[in-house]
Amino acid sequence: MENSGGIKASLQGRYASALFELASENGTVTTVESDLDKTAQAIAENEDLAGLIRNPEVSRKDAAKAMDAVADILGLSPVSKNFLGVLADNRRLSALPEIIRAFSAIAAAQRGEATAEVTSAHALDDLQVEQLRQKLEAREGRNVKIKTSVDPDLLGGLVVTIGSKRIDSSIRTRLNSLAQAMKG
């Protein structure tokens, strides 16, 4: 399995690749991807969980118990639940967000999709997301899955990242560019 961008080269990429291969063998790639999305959302929304995965003082046993409980609460599949246990046992929970991103990239590449991470100053409505998806698909020439996030510091506009390409049309960047030009 060849992945673009050297995903396999990183520690996170190796874990993501191993999980992808296991999920492929079991025919559960979509389920595992959904489980990882739920896990990423839980980490983003729960400060205690985010703190747990980054805390080196938590023992392997306690981290494994906590992740087992989280997996039960989120209703994760056995493959995903076991994977979280392996990460806890290997003290790699801190890499979980990057592993989730790498897994999503591998799964999208297998489906011939690109994933666009879109950050905006304000939440985008469904129509705006659909229009953006259509424009990005026309530009990329393949299906594009959009993941949105909000960063009020952008002031306005969008920052779109697809793989290693970044399109930054935020007002913050434009103001910074203008300030640099005026200093020049």
Side-chain angles (χ1 to χ4, degrees):
M1 176 178 63
E2 180 60 35
N3 297 311
S4 63
I7 290 174
K8 282 185 157 183
S10 68
L11 173 90
Q12 298 84 350
R14 289 192 303 271
Y15 275 98
S17 294
L19 178 60
F20 184 82
E21 288 176 20
L22 181 63
S24 292
E25 289 172 9
N26 293 330
T28 58
V29 172
T30 304
T31 303
V32 171
E33 190 171 16
S34 173
D35 289 348
L36 293 178
D37 286 344
K38 285 188 234 175
T39 305
Q41 186 175 358
I43 292 168
E45 294 174 357
N46 187 311
E47 290 180 25
D48 291 335
L49 180 57
L52 169 77
I53 68 169
R54 289 178 180 82
N55 188 344
E57 295 179 7
V58 176
S59 71
R60 293 172 196 242
K61 183 179 175 186
D62 290 343
K65 279 185 192 175
M67 293 313 292
D68 195 48
V70 166
D72 287 340
I73 290 168
L74 295 176
L76 303 185
S77 68
V79 171
S80 300
K81 186 174 179 178
N82 290 342
F83 180 72
L84 292 178
V86 168
L87 290 180
D89 288 343
N90 293 342
R91 292 199 166 281
R92 299 291 189 217
L93 284 175
S94 62
L96 184 56
E98 292 82 14
I99 292 169
I100 292 170
R101 278 192 288 279
F103 184 92
S104 294
I106 293 168
Q110 285 295 112
R111 289 190 302 268
E113 289 180 347
T115 300
E117 295 181 19
V118 178
T119 306
S120 59
H122 306 285
L124 300 175
D125 62 38
D126 291 339
L127 178 62
Q128 291 170 319
V129 171
E130 179 59 23
Q131 289 173 338
L132 180 60
R133 185 186 62 73
Q134 290 174 0
K135 288 181 182 177
L136 291 173
E137 284 180 353
R139 177 187 167 116
E140 293 294 311
R142 56 185 169 162
N143 290 337
V144 176
K145 181 179 176 184
I146 294 182
K147 292 188 177 187
T148 60
S149 61
V150 175
D151 180 1
D153 291 341
L154 294 180
L155 303 175
L158 299 172
V159 177
V160 180
T161 306
I162 301 176
S164 62
K165 293 181 275 187
R166 175 171 268 188
I167 304 164
D168 189 343
S169 65
S170 66
I171 292 176
R172 176 182 63 190
T173 298
R174 290 180 185 180
L175 288 173
N176 287 341
S177 297
L178 183 60
Q180 290 297 324
M182 291 175 71
K183 287 181 184 177

